[in-house]
Structure formats: structure tokens, C-alpha cells
Amino acid sequence: RKRFFPIYIIIFYTRPTCPWSEKLRAWLQKNKIAFELLDIAESEKARDDLLEKSGQLATPTLDIDNNIIVGFEEKKISALLK
């Protein structure tokens, strides 16, 4: 019997000097959660997108299918991915 899992589009906004981004990245990788990583220090478009979506430039920020989570909020992330 086949079982289908939902596929989520996850965009991970980060910057190189953010220790919480590193913790979140490690957690996502440990849990085998795929994501697109965008560095707001390197990409003006990523920075503009993050500001438009969240109203701020805080990192880490995740966009999970248009649900914005600012910070490493493990419980919120897990709840959205169920």
C-alpha cells in the first residue's frame, strides 16, 4: 500500500553571522527536511522578499508554503509540517 506525504516548499532566509540559523539548518538536515537557503546578506532580492513577507529582516526566518516563522520555533515548524 502506497502512502503519500505532503510536499512543502520551504524557503529558509539566513545571514552568515546568525547562530540560530546554523542551529535551525542542523535541525532541518537532521530531520531530513528539504529547503531552499537564501542569504539576505548576499542577495538583495532575498532581502526584499523577506522584508515584504515578514515586515522585518530577522533571521532565521522560514517560509513554509506562505506561512512565515521568525526564529527557530521547533514546535511551530513541526506543527506546520505534519
Side-chain angles (χ1 to χ4, degrees):
R1 181 180 222 185
K2 285 189 177 181
R3 187 166 181 199
F4 296 96
F5 295 95
I7 297 174
Y8 298 95
I9 305 297
I10 300 175
I11 302 171
F12 180 170
Y13 295 94
T14 188
R15 71 178 83 213
T17 58
C18 178
W20 284 103
S21 288
E22 288 307 312
K23 291 176 186 184
L24 177 55
R25 182 193 328 229
W27 182 85
L28 291 168
Q29 290 172 335
K30 177 182 148 199
N31 288 284
K32 298 180 177 24
I33 299 169
F35 56 89
E36 177 183 358
L37 188 68
L38 298 178
D39 184 340
I40 66 168
E42 301 228 345
S43 169
E44 188 175 327
K45 180 175 179 350
R47 192 169 42 253
D48 292 346
D49 288 349
L50 176 58
L51 192 56
E52 182 180 319
K53 290 177 181 182
S54 71
Q56 56 189 326
L57 293 174
T59 58
T61 297
L62 289 181
D63 176 348
I64 303 173
D65 286 340
N66 297 313
N67 294 287
I68 304 301
I69 299 176
V70 178
F72 182 9
E73 300 285 344
E74 187 175 335
K75 289 181 182 177
K76 287 182 183 178
I77 297 166
S78 294
L80 277 175
L81 296 176
K82 288 196 176 200

